[in-house]
Amino acid sequence: MSKIKKMLYIIIFALMILLIGTVKSNAGDLSLSNLDFEVQINSDGSMNVTETWDIYIKQTNTLYKSFKTDSSKYSKITDVSVKEITNGKENAFIKTNNWAYHVSKNRYYGTKNEDGDFEIGWGVGLDNSSGRRKYKISYKVQDVITKYNDYSELYWQFVGENFEINSNKITGTIYLPSNVQDINNIKVWGHTRDLNGTIYATDTNKIEFEVTNYRSGRYVEIRTLFPTELITTSTKVKDKEILQTAINEETKWADKANARRERNEFLKKAIPLIIIGVYVIINVLLIVVYLRKTLKYIQKNKQLKKYKPTQLLQYYRELPDEKATPGEAVKTLNIDVEAFTPMNFGKIFSATMLDLSLRGFLEIKQEKNQKGKDTIKIKILKEANEQIKADEMEIMKIVKSATQEKEILTLKELEKYIKNHPTKIENLLKNTYNNVNKQLIDEEIIDKEEQKEYKKYKNSQIGYIVSIIFLLCFTLIAFIIPIIIFIVNAVLCGKICEKINVLTQKGIDKQEEWKGLKKYMEDFSMLDRREVPELVIWERYLVYATAFGIADKVIKQLKIVYPNLDEMTNGLATFTYMNLMINTDFSSSFTKAINTSMASAYSSGSGSGGGFSGGGGFGRWPVVAEAGR
């Protein structure tokens, strides 16, 4: 692969990830519509805080609010209470004294947690349900105000970086201990990483702030200076002035914030242009690279010439190949089949067992059991040898393993074995197909190199289809020209696959013969009786009729053509299954049983895929919301 091609794939992959990321939901188990703070600063240097949480909760038992222990910020937190507001009415929760990971509904605690931090926790009782709730959490923070010579200062992080809940809006109102003479003597600053908040002194004793579109992991911090005389007593007194220091710090941070705002504004304008430029570049690269492929595909289509049968046959009454296994016949007839699946392998498995019975390796018969019910029994008459091809050998091994050293194996026991050994059955399907394919290559029915070429173009066609679906879903018309080119290329790759000669000329002729034989077996009762072969040949025909899934239809026609069929089959070899198939529903019941058991084996847990199980049931842990410093 060229460097340009590799780079193009990397760009497309990155674009896919980017596009998927833009449409990904940001949903969670907890989300706040609004988080409101009402703060009263007291003259003794403490503050009373009431938080109102308007929150949507899903599958959560307990909510938390944690405060990092920091003696430089505050001394302790007291007077905790929690209430739920329902239809405007406040319902107080009951206090418990001990910390707990899970709190019962309508109960709360306010104490130190296992990390030594102060924590408020309350039970919401929505372990297995969801709903929107409103809570009011109140507490008092002691010694939070620092008194300087010129101003008193509140410097508090109302929402910390560890807060894990998104909120559409965060609002707050801070009341001073008393009014100031001049509102300009109240200095306010707000800090948050996304610069998406506002703060103002709105009255001589009131400060208001608001943060919109808050995302978890971002702090919300408020700093305010107000006349020092409003604090009459305080344990935090510093014999120096704070105003100029604060202004210098905040000016420095404000300059950085403004520079970020300018940069964000520039990016806001530039990013659409950048995206358009990237789209244009990718469009041009896709058009150039894949239009060149279109021209190559067109040329390839012109060069290919599909083999045609030497002779077109409506019917063919001979066996195309006396030594062909059922698997080989099915693969030759359906060359597009690229793997045996539980849905199509049951017929091949049944046909192979009938073939092995006809050739004296197995005996299959139906008998009455002790309860008078029909039971199909299978017996190995002789061990597998070089007369058996590799694909049939795989099936013989499974039958041998299923007998578990017993002389007689019932169909029920075979079904049970297949269901209980999914890995072996998975390997059976894979190995049988690979052996059939190899045998047909060795017999010059399939061209190995042409088969590789077919797979290459088939994979390309699938790749184009996936790309078309992705681009239509996530980019709409942004890549309309590449989408059109991909559609054309997918069609061209499909036409190339149709023209590639996976079958050799010999293989094409054999396929035509198998088609003719299948058609003959389906219609022979309507033909001239002189064209019907001797009855004995139908034993062999029925093997392939079973593989092709038309055995029941053939047997019905045999009964029409040979009214005294029962008497005619009595003289056949002792290991024959023809009488069994004619007088019972052996063919359909046997094949159905094998199909069902194989499908069951595939869905039972081989590790290669299938339905979901109940799983281990890992529980959901409550989300912790921490704030304060």
Side-chain angles (χ1 to χ4, degrees):
M1 188 183 290
S2 67
K3 291 183 179 179
I4 295 176
K5 226 171 169 184
K6 285 182 180 179
M7 188 176 295
L8 182 60
Y9 288 141
I10 291 170
I11 292 172
I12 293 173
F13 179 76
L15 180 64
M16 289 168 65
I17 297 299
L18 176 65
L19 290 169
I20 291 170
T22 60
V23 299
K24 187 178 180 182
S25 170
N26 201 19
D29 295 316
L30 299 170
S31 61
L32 280 155
S33 176
N34 186 41
L35 174 58
D36 180 71
F37 293 87
E38 185 174 313
V39 182
Q40 176 63 59
I41 298 176
N42 304 312
S43 59
D44 63 356
S46 65
M47 69 174 178
N48 291 86
V49 181
T50 298
E51 300 182 18
T52 302
W53 293 40
D54 187 349
I55 186 170
Y56 172 80
I57 304 169
K58 181 180 179 182
Q59 294 181 338
T60 299
N61 172 275
T62 306
L63 293 177
Y64 306 93
K65 170 86 179 207
S66 298
F67 303 81
K68 292 294 182 183
T69 301
D70 188 346
S71 59
S72 68
K73 294 295 180 182
Y74 69 100
S75 61
K76 60 182 178 178
I77 293 175
T78 60
D79 303 339
V80 176
S81 68
V82 177
K83 299 175 182 178
E84 182 175 357
I85 303 173
T86 307
N87 297 324
K89 184 180 178 181
E90 296 183 358
N91 303 303
F93 281 19
I94 300 170
K95 184 178 181 180
T96 60
N97 295 321
N98 298 321
W99 177 90
Y101 189 75
H102 293 290
V103 183
S104 300
K105 185 180 179 182
N106 299 330
R107 294 183 178 272
Y108 78 95
Y109 64 80
T111 187
K112 285 189 175 182
N113 61 21
E114 291 180 322
D115 297 325
D117 297 328
F118 190 85
E119 186 173 273
I120 302 171
W122 64 99
V124 298
L126 294 172
D127 306 62
N128 300 304
S129 57
S130 62
R132 186 170 178 176
R133 300 289 186 271
K134 185 177 282 190
Y135 300 102
K136 184 178 282 188
I137 302 95
S138 300
Y139 52 90
K140 187 173 186 177
V141 185
Q142 302 284 1
D143 304 313
V144 71
I145 306 297
T146 303
K147 186 172 182 178
Y148 293 89
N149 293 336
D150 53 348
Y151 281 87
S152 291
E153 179 188 54
L154 170 67
Y155 201 160
W156 185 255
Q157 199 172 90
F158 286 94
V159 179
E161 290 181 333
N162 291 329
F163 196 80
E164 298 178 355
I165 310 173
N166 296 336
S167 181
N168 293 337
K169 188 166 60 174
I170 294 177
T171 56
T173 304
I174 302 172
Y175 294 96
L176 301 180
S178 58
N179 294 324
V180 299
Q181 292 184 350
D182 186 351
I183 197 172
N184 291 321
N185 287 331
I186 303 174
K187 314 296 181 183
V188 293
W189 299 274
H191 308 146
T192 187
R193 195 175 82 186
D194 292 336
L195 310 178
N196 53 334
T198 57
I199 184 168
Y200 296 100
T202 56
D203 205 344
T204 54
N205 74 328
K206 185 166 67 173
I207 301 160
E208 295 181 83
F209 65 88
E210 180 177 312
V211 175
T212 57
N213 194 30
Y214 170 82
R215 288 294 167 262
S216 63
R218 278 79 163 166
Y219 59 82
V220 176
E221 192 172 66
I222 302 299
R223 186 181 196 180
T224 178
L225 302 180
F226 51 88
T228 192
E229 61 268 15
L230 297 187
I231 302 300
T232 56
T233 60
S234 177
T235 60
K236 292 171 65 178
V237 179
K238 295 189 178 180
D239 186 18
K240 62 179 181 178
E241 295 185 348
I242 186 61
L243 179 60
Q244 196 56 50
T245 300
I247 289 174
N248 291 342
E249 288 177 350
E250 296 295 338
T251 300
K252 178 181 174 183
W253 293 333
D255 289 342
K256 288 183 178 180
N258 289 332
R260 276 183 61 196
R261 287 190 180 95
E262 290 177 6
R263 190 163 58 250
N264 291 342
E265 191 65 28
F266 169 78
L267 290 174
K268 191 176 179 181
K269 294 177 180 178
I271 283 175
L273 296 176
I274 294 170
I275 291 174
I276 291 171
V278 170
Y279 270 69
V280 170
I281 291 170
I282 294 176
N283 262 283
V284 171
L285 286 172
L286 289 173
I287 291 168
V288 170
V289 171
Y290 289 99
L291 197 55
R292 290 175 62 188
K293 285 185 173 291
T294 304
L295 298 175
K296 289 182 180 179
Y297 295 151
I298 292 172
Q299 188 65 28
K300 181 78 173 176
N301 257 297
K302 289 179 180 179
Q303 292 172 352
L304 290 172
K305 187 176 181 181
K306 186 72 174 177
Y307 290 145
K308 293 182 179 179
T310 304
Q311 183 181 4
L312 292 174
L313 303 170
Q314 182 180 9
Y315 295 111
Y316 191 74
R317 53 177 289 175
E318 305 294 334
L319 285 175
D321 183 354
E322 291 278 353
K323 296 181 179 179
T325 67
E328 290 177 341
V330 169
K331 173 64 177 174
T332 305
L333 190 62
N334 305 281
I335 193 61
D336 291 337
V337 171
E338 295 184 13
F340 290 152
T341 68
M343 296 304 295
N344 62 30
F345 190 67
K347 295 187 286 289
I348 296 172
F349 189 98
S350 302
T352 301
M353 290 191 66
L354 295 178
D355 186 37
L356 292 171
S357 174
L358 185 62
R359 291 158 60 192
F361 289 92
L362 298 177
E363 179 185 66
I364 303 173
K365 59 183 179 179
Q366 184 166 296
E367 296 178 353
K368 297 286 185 183
N369 61 18
Q370 294 178 348
K371 295 181 180 179
K373 293 184 178 180
D374 291 330
T375 301
I376 295 174
K377 294 184 177 181
I378 303 159
K379 182 180 181 180
I380 298 177
L381 297 178
K382 61 181 179 180
E383 296 296 326
N385 55 39
E386 66 278 357
Q387 296 177 358
I388 297 179
K389 290 186 178 181
D391 63 316
E392 291 186 309
M393 186 72 76
E394 294 292 333
I395 292 173
M396 193 71 174
K397 287 178 184 176
I398 289 292
V399 175
K400 175 73 174 175
S401 298
T403 61
Q404 298 177 346
E405 305 303 324
K406 294 192 303 181
E407 185 178 352
I408 302 294
L409 173 70
T410 67
L411 177 58
K412 290 291 183 184
E413 290 171 336
L414 179 59
E415 285 182 73
K416 185 177 179 181
Y417 182 84
I418 290 171
K419 288 178 181 178
N420 292 338
H421 295 82
T423 302
K424 284 189 176 182
I425 300 308
E426 183 181 353
N427 291 333
L428 170 67
L429 267 65
K430 188 187 301 179
N431 294 339
T432 304
Y433 177 82
N434 290 339
N435 285 325
V436 165
N437 198 67
K438 183 178 182 301
Q439 287 160 198
L440 291 176
I441 291 172
D442 293 342
E443 293 164 18
E444 298 182 348
I445 301 294
I446 289 177
D447 187 313
K448 184 178 181 180
E449 295 305 316
E450 290 291 290
Q451 190 177 57
K452 287 181 181 178
E453 190 85 348
Y454 173 86
K455 289 180 180 178
K456 183 180 79 172
Y457 284 100
K458 194 67 178 177
N459 290 336
S460 295
Q461 184 186 34
I462 294 169
Y464 284 125
I465 292 170
V466 171
S467 299
I468 291 164
I469 294 170
F470 173 82
L471 291 174
L472 285 173
C473 289
F474 293 101
T475 69
L476 298 178
I477 61 171
F479 290 96
I480 188 64
I481 297 177
I483 287 172
I484 293 171
I485 294 173
F486 284 2
I487 292 171
V488 172
N489 285 359
V491 172
L492 289 172
C493 284
K495 288 185 175 294
I496 290 172
C497 288
E498 290 174 5
K499 288 186 176 182
I500 289 176
N501 292 297
V502 175
L503 288 174
T504 62
Q505 182 62 61
K506 176 183 175 183
I508 289 289
D509 290 337
K510 288 296 179 186
Q511 184 185 62
E512 186 70 8
E513 291 172 0
W514 283 116
K515 285 180 182 178
L517 179 62
K518 183 173 183 284
K519 180 70 173 169
Y520 173 76
M521 288 192 292
E522 290 175 322
D523 297 343
F524 78 91
S525 66
M526 298 182 293
L527 303 179
D528 190 321
R529 283 291 303 271
R530 289 172 297 179
E531 298 181 13
V532 178
E534 294 295 328
L535 183 62
V536 69
I537 196 67
W538 284 100
E539 279 199 310
R540 192 73 178 134
Y541 281 2
L542 280 170
V543 170
Y544 301 106
T546 301
F548 298 154
I550 59 172
D552 289 342
K553 187 175 181 180
V554 171
I555 290 169
K556 285 180 182 178
Q557 293 188 86
L558 278 172
K559 289 180 178 180
I560 295 172
V561 175
Y562 299 102
N564 58 340
L565 192 60
D566 292 351
E567 298 175 8
M568 297 175 68
T569 56
N570 286 335
L572 296 175
T574 56
F575 54 80
T576 184
Y577 54 83
M578 179 174 274
N579 196 279
L580 179 66
M581 294 180 73
I582 290 169
N583 293 295
T584 70
D585 64 346
F586 168 80
S587 178
S588 59
S589 62
F590 190 90
T591 302
K592 184 179 178 181
I594 297 299
N595 269 338
T596 301
S597 56
M598 286 191 176
S600 175
Y602 256 67
S603 64
S604 67
S606 65
S608 58
F612 273 53
S613 68
F618 288 103
R620 185 184 302 278
W621 295 88
V623 177
V624 178
E626 297 184 7
R629 80 175 197 178

